[in-house]
Amino acid sequence: DDYTINLYKTEHNGNLPPSNVLDNAWMSWRAGKLTAFLADLYQSVKKVKSNVKVASAPSIHPWGYQNYLQDWPTWLKNGYVDIVIPQIYRYDIDSYKSTLAQQINYLEPKDRSKFFPGVLIKNGTYDVDETFLQKMIDENRRQGFKGESFWFYEGLAKHQAYFAAYGK
């Protein structure tokens, strides 16, 4: 868009942005703008109410960076989110485990307590079976995570008995 092109030109001696949207420097510049926006948002929220938790549920890294310019490892590292919930939405346990392991590789040890895996339990006609759901939760606990976030709320109602029993 014109605004972004003009901003880029202003910051790059009048040069136009690269025509290749996947150019590393161009992606980094745009991701940096999103990160700066999040930093401003975080500070604004904390200024109004410091005890509010700022959370983000980005796509998995690096896919989210490559497709949406989401750089959640940097957001955590720089303290721009209190909680990150990567969308580890998978349909079988092997894919879930490997994707979770991949995401853990981007975590710094100090940030593990701020990481909650996003678990797919319902989407459109898809509805997780409780065996798979239990396996995902078990893997999260095995990896030392104390909780997760479930997508999306209709799945909670569908599995109400499971969650009631699990909570006990």
Side-chain angles (χ1 to χ4, degrees):
D1 63 62
D2 289 339
Y3 176 84
T4 305
I5 291 170
N6 289 327
L7 182 60
Y8 185 88
K9 286 169 62 175
T10 299
E11 295 180 13
H12 292 87
N13 299 318
N15 293 320
L16 285 170
S19 58
N20 177 4
V21 296
L22 299 178
D23 178 88
N24 286 336
W26 175 228
M27 287 182 67
S28 177
W29 182 81
R30 291 179 294 147
K33 296 300 181 195
L34 181 60
T35 296
F37 169 78
L38 183 59
D40 289 343
L41 177 66
Y42 183 86
Q43 293 302 321
S44 296
V45 168
K46 294 296 186 169
K47 188 182 292 184
V48 172
K49 197 162 190 177
S50 62
N51 64 332
V52 168
K53 297 290 185 193
V54 176
S56 178
S59 296
I60 59 169
H61 197 75
W63 191 92
Y65 179 86
Q66 295 161 345
N67 290 275
Y68 301 125
L69 307 169
Q70 299 169 336
D71 190 4
W72 70 255
T74 297
W75 301 347
L76 272 178
K77 179 181 177 183
N78 292 341
Y80 302 152
V81 291
D82 298 310
I83 297 167
V84 69
I85 308 162
Q87 300 171 18
I88 308 176
Y89 301 164
R90 298 296 176 266
Y91 297 93
D92 66 80
I93 193 60
D94 291 335
S95 294
Y96 185 84
K97 285 179 177 181
S98 66
T99 303
L100 179 60
Q102 177 194 41
Q103 298 311 289
I104 291 169
N105 286 332
Y106 296 109
L107 271 177
E108 294 186 14
K110 70 177 182 62
D111 293 325
R112 283 185 70 92
S113 65
K114 300 174 183 177
F115 182 96
F116 293 85
V119 175
L120 177 64
I121 60 172
K122 174 101 174 108
N123 195 38
T125 60
Y126 174 76
D127 184 21
V128 71
D129 70 70
E130 290 182 2
T131 300
F132 179 36
L133 175 57
Q134 186 64 55
K135 287 179 180 180
M136 290 187 287
I137 293 171
D138 289 346
E139 182 61 16
N140 294 342
R141 297 305 172 275
R142 191 178 77 72
Q143 294 293 344
F145 299 112
K146 307 254 188 258
E148 48 278 310
S149 178
F150 299 103
W151 175 261
F152 79 105
Y153 76 93
E154 288 182 0
L156 297 174
K158 171 87 177 180
H159 298 287
Q160 190 172 8
Y162 171 83
F163 287 111
Y166 187 79
K168 294 177 182 176

